[in-house]
Amino acid sequence: MSASYTGQKSYYGDGMAQNIARRRRHGRVWHILFYAATTISILALIVLLLNIFNAVFGFVLIEDEVPPTELAPGGDLESLSQGELISLLEEYLSVGLIRRFNFEEPLAERSVTDLAALVQVRIVNPTVIEAWSLQESLFQSDMIRAEHAAHPGTRVQFRSWLSARFLVSPQNPRPQLAGIRTAFFGSLWMIIIVIVVAFPIGVAAAIYLEEYARSEIWYNRIIEVNIYNLAGIPSIIFGLLGLAVFVRALEPFTSGTVFGGVDPTTANGRTIISAGLTLSLLILPIIIINSREAIKAVPSSLRESSYGLGATKWQTIWHHVLPASFDRILTGTILAISRAIGETAPLVVVGASTFITVDPKTLFSKFTTLPIQIYQWSARPQSQFRNVAAAAIVVLLVLMLSMNAVAIIMRNRISKQRRI
Amino acid sequence: MDTKLAMHTKNLNFFYGDFQALFDVSLDFGANEVTALIGPSGCGKSTLLRCLNRMNDLIPETRSEGEIYFRDQPIHGQEVDPVEVRRQVGMVFQKPNPFPKTIYENIAWGARINGYRGDMDELVETSLKKCALWDEVKEKLKQNALGLSGGQQQRLCIARTIAVEPDVILMDEPTSALDPISTAKIEDLITELRKRYTIIIVTHNMQQAGRVSEKTAFFLNGVIIEAGLTSDIFFNPKEERTEAYISGRFG
């Protein structure tokens, strides 16, 4: 094989087979490296999820103030009649408290289920005095049994910290009663404000920069560079900006006092609208950059065919460029909004409430959001709040994943209409 | 001058930044004639074509000097709107580029944005018939145009161009992406459309220029080397370089 089949001298030499083997070996090393990188990321993800779910489920040690077995046969409160439940309440609770319940809704008009729940919370009053992780619950039953024996009068129960009650209850200083409701609505309001503010402004700015602005002019280039830089600025700085501008300077507007309907003596700028506007500013550069990339990706042949028919610039943009880039614009926007949902630092600066139990009702309400709530719970001294925080993390993840899913479904539907 | 002029250029120079792509191009395009622009790649023939409907305005950092007339009206004047120029001087591109919409919408869109007031169904039908596409697509007008074959897509692009009633149709290598059968169909179509429209076609295919055009202009490095009747250019070229190019000795 020293010469090629034509009989001429070849510069590729004799070792063709060795050469190929060496090249393949080289490729295999890289293949393994890429594979390892993927495996590491997937493992990290699995560890993260396991860690969360480990804290969401597990056995808890509960101490009842009054065991339910003392109140009802077999401890089944719902088997009692309405009258029996009311007399239990009157027997154990103060007159003032009974009067307050009657004021909220007369006890005689409440259903057995409601009354039983009231008895459960007010009289039985179970307290979680110890919580174990899923791993401990599964593999260290001896320890749990010993702990149970050390606390007479307690019971061990398997508890999912993530429950329907957790979703609909507001914040509570006792871990087993704490819920995510207020924070969930806070996050929801925030998303809506961010979508309404940042999406149209971001897309409009992207259209201007991509279609109208002439990049050879110096100030357009400065704007361009600055937008890229803004996208990389730490979020806490946006928080400080929001504090200075929305909370302080624009306080009459963000507190709602100029619009009336709020008490001017207690109103301040630390409201949901300030937070929403701050987060909108935070993700605006990201939306602009993503939308610009989407618009840039529209093939010039599509624009040319539109112009060639006598379309104006606006007709070309509206009828062809935007429909062709809308799926990518949407994906970019949803990713940006997902980032906004997870932001904590700027909201701390803008003044999210750490303990609040009323749902946000207007743009000028005090608020908290899921990440703020998670942060606050995990900083509490009682260890059971770790479990509560883990359950809230699951809610946050589900919220994000479902938003991403909506984006993917919408994108696929749009692109399907445009292709065959 | 025996024929009426549809368009003509006078001492046209064109620049991409510092690079000059056209040098003193003066060329007449007779009404209802097919004029072929030939020459090797990068010789400026596509640039000239895109000047004729001010498509080059869309490319930043370009400028032109000299005059282009459409029926004796300058198209580069301050008061001339390029949008109006492009409606009267339509364009068909090298790669078929129908809109990612239905076949019907591909024809109707251009007419609608230009304020067409007539019966849209009728316009779609007549435009497709003029391009010999009606029988092939009449059952699937509501389907996406991207589902058509390349040749059908190109004929659809021509149909969409004539639906806005231009006077001149510019064609930038309209068959270079097509197979021989589709090419033959487009060439037949050009011969047919000549009766109504002025056609200016850029082509790399000498046989095509010979088959479809009456006039030919040969370009080299942004300069017109020779222009005249196609038969003269092909059979009695005055210039050595024209003959060399046409006979395939370079380019």
Side-chain angles (χ1 to χ4, degrees), chain A residues 342-355:
Chain A
E343 274 303 338
T344 322
L347 296 183
V348 172
V349 180
V350 170
S353 312
T354 42
F355 191 91

Side-chain angles (χ1 to χ4, degrees), chain A residues 109-410:
Chain A
E109 289 173 20
R110 299 194 188 192
S111 68
V112 170
T113 323
D114 283 355
L115 288 170
L118 204 58
V119 170
Q120 174 75 24
V121 173
R122 290 286 170 173
I123 303 174
V124 177
N125 193 9
T127 310
V128 174
I129 54 172
E130 185 76 66
W132 290 281
S133 69
L134 188 58
Q135 187 201 354
E136 289 165 335
S137 306
L138 291 177
F139 304 111
Q140 288 168 275
S141 47
D142 293 346
M143 179 183 79
I144 295 174
R145 234 172 263 131
E147 196 75 17
H148 184 205
H151 292 80
T154 60
R155 61 198 161 91
V156 171
Q157 199 181 36
F158 190 81
R159 181 181 173 97
S160 161
W161 290 90
L162 180 67
S163 62
R165 193 207 49 74
F166 177 73
L167 295 177
V168 299
S169 312
Q171 164 73 298
N172 194 295
R174 295 170 58 187
Q176 71 267 32
L177 296 179
I180 203 72
R181 179 192 176 102
T182 323
F184 183 82
F185 279 113
S187 278
L188 214 58
W189 275 86
M190 201 80 67
I191 297 170
I192 291 168
I193 295 171
V194 167
I195 290 175
V196 167
V197 175
F199 177 64
I201 297 179
V203 175
I207 292 173
Y208 176 79
L209 289 172
E210 204 52 48
E211 297 284 335
Y212 293 92
R214 296 174 49 186
S215 60
E216 66 263 25
I217 302 176
W218 63 272
Y219 53 77
N220 283 328
R221 233 177 277 157
I222 290 182
I223 293 174
E224 213 161 288
V225 170
N226 274 305
I227 288 174
Y228 276 91
N229 285 338
L230 277 178
I233 283 183
S235 57
I236 187 109
I237 298 187
F238 280 94
L240 292 170
L241 173 80
L243 179 69
V245 177
F246 300 123
V247 177
R248 302 259 164 80
L250 296 176
E251 180 152 23
F253 298 96
T254 51
S255 64
T257 41
V258 288
F259 307 105
V262 290
D263 179 4
T265 53
T266 57
N268 61 36
R270 299 174 176 277
T271 53
I272 205 160
I273 182 84
S274 296
L277 291 175
T278 306
L279 289 188
S280 301
L281 283 190
L282 171 71
I283 65 164
L284 199 54
I286 308 174
I287 294 186
I288 294 176
I289 290 170
N290 287 338
S291 304
R292 282 190 65 180
E293 296 301 325
I295 292 171
K296 215 179 273 181
V298 175
S300 60
S301 66
L302 187 62
R303 293 169 210 264
E304 285 183 340
S305 56
S306 170
Y307 283 124
L309 287 172
T312 61
K313 184 165 217 154
W314 171 241
Q315 285 169 328
T316 303
I317 294 171
W318 181 249
H319 290 277
H320 299 294
V321 175
L322 280 184
S325 54
F326 197 66
D327 49 351
R328 289 177 197 222
I329 291 179
L330 204 67
T331 322
T333 305
I334 299 265
L335 287 178
I337 290 172
S338 297
R339 172 161 177 210
I341 298 175
E343 274 303 338
T344 322
L347 296 183
V348 172
V349 180
V350 170
S353 312
T354 42
F355 191 91
I356 186 171
T357 54
V358 278
D359 297 344
K361 296 226 165 44
T362 69
L363 290 174
F364 311 113
S365 302
K366 303 278 166 285
F367 69 99
T368 189
T369 64
L370 289 169
I372 293 276
Q373 191 72 83
I374 291 165
Y375 165 70
Q376 190 248 342
W377 275 331
S378 48
R380 287 282 191 93
Q382 299 105 306
S383 65
Q384 290 95 316
F385 273 114
R386 307 274 185 287
N387 307 85
V388 180
I393 289 171
V394 173
V395 173
L396 182 61
L397 284 180
V398 168
L399 183 68
M400 277 190 174
L401 290 181
S402 43
M403 279 194 61
N404 288 348
V406 167
I408 290 166
I409 290 168
M410 280 172 81

Side-chain angles (χ1 to χ4, degrees), chain B residues 8-196:
Chain B
H8 64 283
T9 67
K10 234 183 211 168
N11 300 329
L12 182 68
N13 290 292
F14 189 83
F15 303 85
Y16 293 104
D18 295 331
F19 174 74
Q20 185 167 5
L22 293 176
F23 295 85
D24 273 333
V25 172
S26 298
L27 200 56
D28 295 343
F29 302 101
N32 294 75
E33 277 181 354
V34 178
T35 306
L37 308 180
I38 60 172
S41 296
C43 70
K45 51 196 193 312
S46 287
T47 303
L48 173 64
L49 200 72
R50 294 168 60 94
C51 282
L52 295 176
N53 69 345
R54 294 188 61 175
M55 213 58 157
N56 282 331
D57 289 16
L58 302 171
I59 304 172
E61 293 181 42
T62 58
R63 68 195 162 88
S64 64
E65 293 165 0
E67 295 293 340
I68 304 170
Y69 296 94
F70 171 69
R71 290 206 205 121
D72 300 327
Q73 297 290 317
I75 66 164
H76 270 288
Q78 282 292 322
E79 68 290 344
V80 186
D81 189 341
V83 169
E84 179 56 23
V85 173
R86 292 186 200 124
R87 192 192 69 78
Q88 289 173 327
V89 184
M91 190 156 195
V92 177
F93 299 86
Q94 184 172 0
K95 220 178 121 214
N97 56 353
F99 299 127
K101 297 171 182 272
T102 63
I103 293 169
Y104 184 97
E105 240 348 86
N106 260 278
I107 310 276
W109 188 78
R112 198 180 299 125
I113 57 153
N114 282 299
Y116 178 75
R117 287 171 206 283
D119 183 348
M120 193 59 84
D121 293 348
E122 201 184 303
L123 177 73
V124 171
E125 185 174 337
T126 50
S127 304
L128 287 170
K129 275 181 175 160
K130 279 181 198 164
C131 294
L133 194 58
W134 174 252
D135 291 329
E136 292 165 54
V137 302
K138 63 183 174 193
E139 303 297 330
K140 45 182 184 181
L141 290 176
K142 295 290 171 208
Q143 287 178 21
N144 195 314
L146 296 181
L148 297 174
S149 74
Q152 288 172 325
Q153 287 187 11
Q154 194 61 299
R155 276 181 285 152
L156 180 67
C157 289
I158 298 174
R160 137 185 114 177
T161 305
I162 62 178
V164 298
E165 296 172 4
D167 287 310
V168 179
I169 302 174
L170 309 174
M171 296 186 175
D172 191 357
E173 299 180 43
T175 61
S176 67
L178 304 181
D179 63 88
I181 292 171
S182 303
T183 301
K185 283 184 182 164
I186 302 270
E187 287 179 9
D188 289 345
L189 182 55
I190 292 171
T191 318
E192 191 59 36
L193 292 174
R194 210 179 84 199
K195 296 167 190 160
R196 264 181 254 243

Side-chain angles (χ1 to χ4, degrees), chain A residues 51-66:
Chain A
N51 198 21
I52 292 169
F53 282 102
N54 191 31
V56 173
F57 304 100
F59 283 113
V60 288
L61 194 63
I62 295 176
E63 187 169 34
D64 293 328
E65 204 176 316
V66 180

